Amino acid sequence: MATIGIDIGGTEIKAGLVDEHGTILKSARAASEPEDLDTLIETAAGLAEEVSGDAKARAIGVGIPGLVSPKSGTVQTAPNMLALSGAPIGALLSSRIGLNATISNDADMHAWGEWIAGAGAGTSHMICLTVGTGLGSGIVLDGQLYAGATGYGAEAGHIVLNPEGRPCGCGGRGCLETVVSATGIVAMTRERIEAGEPSALVVEADHQPGLTAKTVLEAALGGDLLARTVYAEAGRCLGIACASLINLFSPQTIVIGGGVSLAGALLLDPATAEARTRCYPHLFEACRIVPAMLGTNAGVVGAAIWARDWIG
């Protein structure tokens, strides 16, 4: 019997009916309302009902961008979606849909999806970095999702690159997420434009909603020097983080996913080059840095499979 996976993001909520092999049978998506909990729950429930249709789903798995209590299913904190903080998402969805619901960190579910049915399939040790509105991460060691003593571990997005860097949503400064994320890319672009660097993006920067990581990427692909420099710097910082993770965990694969990863070689080439210079050579050679295979559907697949295994 299939299960439902839901991936709640800062801009979009995705849902899918997923079979036992990790194949999405039916999918749906809708805009997210990160500041309105009631609307978030109603949207997620509506998507679950849409993808399930007449099928009898066994359970529902949900990935959210924050720290989730493994015991209660309550969101402890969600820096990029404040409406979720302190909310018993599992209980609210279960009550609304009538299915058992398991709630997990979205990046963990992205990692689980890629490990089960994507770029990490067949490995024992894999790290998945999901670069979207923020930067999430999931670590699989010896075939088990690593969560640490508290259940909140593996937050690579909050590795500190620069103690004096820009503020992060976690309350710290200079975290990896402040550079390698959609928000970080926009912030770097604005800083360079304000410093007087020429770019075709100046017009977008003058209109707050216009400048996004997507418009910066489009400019970079069109040859805009400032935009290409921004993506190169994000890639370099990503490579520094990858080197630290490789030296620490010696994974077989590091999977780079999330919407920002659609930049492809603009992000991955400088990341790989930087990681190579900072790793023990034999550890680097034993690890692949690759794009996600499931794309933006990894979280849906991972959450659905996690829910299936959770209910037994």
Side-chain angles (χ1 to χ4, degrees):
M1 187 181 294
T3 48
I4 297 169
I6 294 182
D7 186 7
I8 296 179
T11 58
E12 189 176 53
I13 301 176
K14 298 182 284 291
L17 184 68
V18 180
D19 71 13
E20 59 184 7
H21 304 295
T23 300
I24 297 179
L25 304 175
K26 186 178 180 180
S27 63
R29 58 184 61 201
S32 178
E33 293 290 342
E35 298 180 1
D36 187 333
L37 178 61
D38 291 339
T39 301
L40 277 172
I41 295 298
E42 191 59 33
T43 300
L47 290 174
E49 291 168 347
E50 180 179 344
V51 299
S52 62
D54 296 329
K56 272 203 164 183
R58 297 175 62 192
I60 181 170
V62 183
I64 65 99
L67 303 183
V68 183
S69 169
K71 293 182 179 180
S72 67
T74 297
V75 181
Q76 299 299 311
T77 181
N80 295 312
M81 295 189 73
L82 296 179
L84 295 175
S85 295
I89 302 297
L92 291 172
L93 274 173
S94 290
S95 174
R96 170 65 177 76
I97 301 172
L99 287 174
N100 288 328
T102 177
I103 311 300
S104 306
N105 174 264
D106 62 343
D108 284 344
M109 295 300 94
H110 282 229
W112 199 243
E114 288 291 340
W115 185 72
I116 290 289
T123 66
S124 297
H125 313 288
M126 182 205 77
I127 295 173
C128 182
L129 302 179
T130 304
V131 190
T133 303
L135 190 150
S137 59
I139 299 176
V140 177
L141 299 177
D142 289 323
Q144 300 293 319
L145 193 61
Y146 176 78
T150 60
Y152 306 143
E155 286 291 326
H158 300 287
I159 293 172
V160 178
L161 291 183
N162 176 9
E164 308 304 322
R166 64 177 66 90
C168 181
C170 72
R173 299 187 73 92
C175 295
L176 177 66
E177 180 175 290
T178 66
V179 180
V180 188
S181 66
T183 52
I185 284 167
V186 169
M188 281 195 291
T189 302
R190 286 193 181 282
E191 288 167 359
R192 288 177 174 273
I193 288 174
E194 289 169 3
E197 293 187 34
S199 172
L201 292 165
V202 171
V203 174
E204 281 83 355
D206 290 337
H207 299 82
Q208 188 69 22
L211 188 62
T212 65
K214 182 178 179 181
T215 59
V216 178
L217 174 58
E218 290 170 350
L221 293 173
D224 187 270
L225 180 59
L226 184 151
R228 293 184 72 87
T229 301
V230 166
Y231 267 91
E233 176 61 11
R236 187 184 74 85
C237 291
L238 178 60
I240 293 172
C242 286
S244 296
L245 292 168
I246 291 169
N247 284 337
L248 185 61
F249 292 106
S250 187
Q252 294 155 290
T253 305
I254 294 181
V255 179
I256 310 297
V260 174
S261 72
L262 298 178
L266 283 175
L267 190 70
L268 292 186
D269 283 358
T272 302
E274 190 71 22
R276 184 188 297 274
T277 66
R278 294 179 180 271
C279 281
Y280 281 115
H282 61 288
L283 295 182
F284 179 82
E285 294 302 328
C287 179
R288 302 177 305 138
I289 300 175
V290 299
M293 186 180 294
L294 301 181
T296 57
N297 289 321
V300 169
V301 172
I305 298 297
W306 190 263
R308 180 202 68 187
D309 296 341
W310 173 69
I311 66 171

